[in-house]
Amino acid sequence: MTAAQDSLAAPAHNPLASLTGVPFAKGHGTGNDFVLVADPDGARDIAPQEVAALCDRHLGIGADGLIRAIRSEHLEEGRELLAEDPGAVWFMDYRNADGSVSEMCGNGVRVFVAFLLDQGLASLDPGEILPVGTRAGIKRVERREGGFAVDMGPWEFIHPAQAEAEAGDSLVTADGLDVSRPALSVSMGNPHTVVALAEEAELERLRLFSAPVVEPVPPHGTNVEFVVPAEPLVRDGVGSIAMRVHERGVGETQSCGTGACAAAVAIRHWAGAGAPNRWDIRVPGGTVHVAFVTGTEGAEHVELSGPAVIVAHGAIG
C-alpha cells in the first residue's frame, strides 16, 4: 500500500469523539441559529475546538454558536448572579462558532429559554418573566404571543464624549464599500459598531466574508452592523431600518439581537430629538422589535422581542 493509499485508509480523527451520544437541539431566532446542549450539573466542559467542530456548517451540525444550559450554581459568574437574584437558576453559557466565549446574544437568550421549556427544565406562562444568567448580567425574559421579549438592560456609548460631540467615533472599511465610512460604537454588554448606509443597494453589495476593519477598534473587538433607514424613517410612531451584521468569531449571520439593539440606539441618536422609542429591525432572517423603556433603577433600558424556534433534536455522533 502506498503512503497516499495508507493515508486514505486511515480513519479520520473525530474532534467530537468525546461528545458521542450527547443529546442536542437546534434552534434559531430570525435565522440566527444555535446548537443547544443541556448540562445542568456542569459535568461537561465543551472545549473550544469541539464548539468549532459542532458549529462547522460542512463537517458538523452547523450554527452561529453553541449554547450550554447549566445551573448558575456551577459557574463562578453564575454564583455571583444568584447572589443578586436567586431566581436566576439557569445560566446561558454562550460560545461563538469559533469556540470563543461571548458575553451575550440577544437572539440566543430567547432561543435558550425556548430550549429550557422544550426540555422541561423550566416553565413559563404567557406574561411571566424568567431571569437568566449571562456573562453580561441577568436578563429577564418575558413570554409573549409569537415569541419572547428580553430586557437587555441599559445601553451605553463606548466612546461617549465623541458620540455626543461628533456623532461618531471610528471609521469602518468593508469589502463592497467604495470608501471607509464613519461609525458609532455602542455597548449592549458586548461591543457593536454601527455604520449607516444611504440605500439598500449599498447594503446588498457588501461582501461580509471577511471581517470589516474598524479603526480604532474597541478593546475586545467588535460586531459590525450596517444599517439603512427606511423611507420614511417613521411610520405610525415606529422607526424602521434594514440591517446586515458581521459578528465577532462567526462572520455574517442572518440576525443579531444585541446588534439590532445597538443599531436602534445609533439611528435614534443620529435622528435627533423627536425620534421614536420603538423600532422594527429587518434582518435577512426576519424582523425583530426594539423598544426603549425605563428600568427599575431609572436608567433607560433596551427591550428586544421576536420569535424563537426549536427545529430539531438529535444526538452527537
Side-chain angles (χ1 to χ4, degrees):
M1 180 180 291
T2 66
Q5 290 172 324
D6 185 60
S7 175
L8 289 172
H13 169 66
N14 179 8
L16 299 175
S18 66
L19 299 177
T20 298
V22 172
F24 73 90
K26 179 76 180 286
H28 76 91
T30 54
N32 197 184
D33 61 337
F34 311 95
V35 173
L36 301 109
V37 174
D39 184 23
D41 299 323
R44 183 171 290 107
D45 187 15
I46 302 175
Q49 63 270 23
E50 293 172 326
V51 174
L54 281 170
C55 294
D56 189 298
R57 296 195 180 276
H58 299 287
L59 303 177
I61 297 167
D64 292 326
L66 173 87
I67 298 175
R68 180 174 65 136
I70 180 173
R71 292 187 186 275
S72 295
E73 63 186 301
H74 297 299
L75 286 175
E76 181 179 352
E77 307 101 307
R79 289 190 289 271
E80 292 174 358
L81 296 176
L82 278 174
E84 177 184 336
D85 184 346
V89 172
W90 290 100
F91 190 95
M92 183 182 81
D93 180 18
Y94 180 60
R95 310 299 172 99
N96 293 315
D98 66 353
S100 59
V101 173
S102 182
E103 303 90 341
M104 175 56 187
C105 177
N107 289 319
V109 73
R110 299 198 314 276
V111 177
F112 176 73
V113 172
F115 176 66
L116 293 179
L117 302 183
D118 174 78
Q119 297 290 300
L121 298 173
S123 61
L124 193 65
D125 291 329
E128 290 186 336
I129 293 174
L130 181 72
V132 170
T134 78
R135 291 185 174 86
I138 294 173
K139 303 303 175 187
R140 291 175 167 80
V141 184
E142 178 184 347
R143 189 170 189 177
R144 292 185 182 173
E145 183 178 353
F148 301 89
V150 188
D151 182 347
M152 302 292 288
W155 62 270
E156 61 182 353
F157 291 124
I158 293 177
H159 305 290
Q162 284 180 274
E164 294 295 344
E166 305 171 23
D169 51 41
S170 54
L171 288 175
V172 172
T173 304
D175 192 359
L177 294 182
D178 50 356
V179 295
S180 298
R181 304 297 175 89
L184 185 60
S185 299
V186 176
S187 174
M188 287 301 310
N190 59 352
H192 297 270
T193 299
V194 184
V195 183
L197 303 179
E199 57 185 14
E200 293 210 19
E202 282 191 306
L203 195 65
E204 293 169 3
R205 283 198 297 269
L206 286 171
R207 294 181 290 273
L208 298 180
F209 307 110
S210 56
V213 176
V214 180
E215 298 177 305
V217 66
H220 302 292
T222 190
N223 305 285
V224 183
E225 286 77 31
F226 298 89
V227 299
V228 176
E231 183 57 48
L233 176 63
V234 181
R235 191 184 298 274
D236 298 327
V238 180
S240 181
I241 61 178
M243 182 183 91
R244 289 176 64 189
V245 57
H246 186 284
E247 289 196 47
R248 290 178 305 171
V250 183
E252 183 174 13
T253 59
Q254 294 291 295
S255 181
C256 176
T258 53
C261 296
V265 167
I267 287 287
R268 189 181 66 152
H269 181 67
W270 288 324
N277 287 328
R278 294 169 55 213
W279 295 82
D280 290 341
I281 316 296
R282 180 165 52 85
V283 294
T287 299
V288 293
H289 311 285
V290 171
F292 293 88
V293 298
T294 302
T296 55
E297 81 288 13
E300 185 174 70
H301 287 212
V302 184
E303 180 192 85
L304 174 72
S305 59
V309 183
I310 303 298
V311 297
H313 300 85
I316 298 170

